[in-house]
Amino acid sequence: MFNTPFIVPVIALMIPIVAIIMKNWRQVQNRKLDLMERSTSDMTSAAADVAQARVAKLEARVAVLERILTDKRQALADEIDGLGISAARTATPPRIDQ
């Protein structure tokens, strides 16, 4: 397949190099996980309250999106049309003399 005599020594040297790199990469990933766990466990109650408020807000937004997606098309179209009519009533017409 390969006619070069250098392929076997190159592969033989690459195996330990790759093993060392993978060992160090795994240690770095474990260290990252440890730091993330420590930071989440050290979170103060105020930060936890802020995070809980954000989660509640996002859940409310998802509920609205689910309602829009599961709503019947005609009801959704009527609601959109109603928004356009109410916006047209409150908008002031542009002045031509400006």
Side-chain angles (χ1 to χ4, degrees), residues 6-78:
F6 300 111
I7 194 74
V8 173
V10 168
I11 291 175
L13 289 174
M14 289 298 294
I15 290 172
I17 292 171
V18 170
I20 292 169
I21 290 172
M22 291 304 294
K23 178 183 172 188
N24 289 336
W25 181 79
R26 189 175 55 225
Q27 288 175 348
V28 168
Q29 295 302 316
N30 287 338
R31 179 71 176 148
K32 280 184 183 179
L33 287 174
D34 291 342
L35 289 173
M36 287 173 54
E37 288 175 2
R38 189 178 307 162
S39 69
T40 57
S41 66
D42 292 342
M43 190 183 331
T44 63
S45 63
D49 292 340
V50 169
Q52 187 64 29
R54 289 183 72 190
V55 168
K57 185 177 179 181
L58 289 173
E59 286 176 348
R61 292 178 74 180
V62 168
V64 169
L65 290 174
E66 287 176 345
R67 183 182 59 83
I68 290 171
L69 287 175
T70 58
D71 200 7
K72 297 207 183 288
R73 292 198 179 270
Q74 185 60 37
L76 180 61
D78 292 342

